[in-house]
Amino acid sequence: MLALAAAATARADGGGEVDIAATLFHEGGGPLNMTVITPSVRGRVDPIEEWGFNLAWNADVVSGASVAVVDAPSPEPDVISTATRLDDFRNVFSAGTEIRSDFATIRAGYAYGFESDYRSHAVSLGARAEAFERTAVFDFSWARGWDSVCDVFQPEANLAVERRRLSSSDGCFSSDTDFGTHDVSLQTFQGSWSQAWARILATQLTVSAQLIEGFQSNPYRAVWLGRSAAQEHHPNDRARYAASLSVRLWIEPLSSALQLMGRIYRDTWDVQSVTAELGYEIVLDGAVRVRARARYYTQTGAAFFSDDYALMPMGQYFTGDRELSAMSTITVGASFGYSVTAGSSGPVLGFMEEFDILLKGDWVHADFPMFHYGMAGVPNVDAAIGTLSLEAHF
């Protein structure tokens, strides 16, 4: 897995900002591979100090391969060689506005996304307030989404075990009667409290919840059930809850900071997870930042997950999603940041108020002890992530 990102920001004198970014993601694992290119553009204009609005566009250009039928019988020692190609191009256009005062901000936004087999509409509302002589910041947000997923139109399939998978998105969202759609409704709530307890100590507590109702399976993926394969079948309802606490301790003599983060998660599919992260950042000469981090993540499998539904069925639901099995990951990485701001000598390079560069690298190892493709384990368990980010203010 490799990811590269670049961003540039321009700020107008009258109150405005433009961000341009691009990300390259690549995951390899023999026939199972995925490449995603994600460009984005965001612009913000502040006609007056108390009001601003923004427009944004981002896309995902996807190319890769995935297993079509998990655990399908095969003369080969595994079924990974049966991976099928997939290509898609996803666009999301969004707009938002915010009203600001000295101590509070209210914001609202709308986004529309589309790709060959998916449509989405989303609205969001949020509020942010500072209190206790600006030592505390409270932020609350709510988002509501209405999505549509393309699938094979098969009214004759009365039972989930009779449903066949979608083989191609060609013809989706058209008058072709071979295709239908499923609705997905999402609501997300999040609240955070950031508190500066002292000049050297700050914390942030974040709590979130998400309610999902509708089709949540992968329409392209089927699972071998013994005598035949059927499109994977997930519950229509899912509630997800998470809470995290971050602590940042500034070490004055070393011009550095120790960072700790813990997160717990649970949902109504009985997936439970714990995340712990330790980071250390040091500032050199006020402009250079070097950070190292280590993260551990572990989760249980969904209540209806089985590694072999032909031998061990788990009720009416079945899945071929490896991320619904028991899994854990270890991440270690480091980053290098460099910032330059305009000073008495004038703008940076003669035209920028601020310039930032960030180089970041991570290595991730994942373990899926209960998930296999036929007789083979998951081939792509190691990942490398590299990030390059450039940001300029004018």
Side-chain angles (χ1 to χ4, degrees), residues 301-373:
F304 54 89
F305 173 79
S306 173
D307 190 42
D308 190 336
Y309 287 95
L311 297 177
M312 296 183 297
M314 300 294 289
Q316 62 179 312
Y317 302 113
F318 43 92
T319 181
D321 187 351
R322 69 179 190 178
E323 295 185 5
L324 288 178
S325 70
M327 61 174 289
S328 62
T329 63
I330 297 174
T331 303
V332 293
S335 64
F336 170 86
Y338 179 69
S339 301
V340 182
T341 57
S344 57
S345 59
V348 180
L349 299 180
F351 64 96
M352 290 183 292
E353 292 296 322
E354 183 178 347
F355 176 78
D356 297 285
I357 182 171
L358 176 67
L359 297 173
K360 181 180 178 182
D362 290 294
W363 173 79
V364 183
H365 175 75
D367 183 31
F368 300 91
M370 300 299 295
F371 188 92
H372 299 83
Y373 293 110

Side-chain angles (χ1 to χ4, degrees), residues 10-17 44-49 51-53 100:
R11 187 181 301 276
D13 292 338
E17 185 175 287
R44 195 191 76 208
V45 177
D46 299 326
I48 58 176
E49 184 178 354
W51 173 61
F53 64 90
R100 300 179 290 265

Side-chain angles (χ1 to χ4, degrees), residues 28-33 65-85 322 371-381:
L32 298 184
N33 60 83
S66 64
V67 172
V69 181
V70 176
D71 293 336
S74 172
E76 303 295 330
D78 61 76
V79 297
I80 298 174
S81 58
T82 65
T84 57
R85 297 294 305 177
R322 69 179 190 178
F371 188 92
H372 299 83
Y373 293 110
M375 298 176 59
V378 178
N380 46 340
V381 295

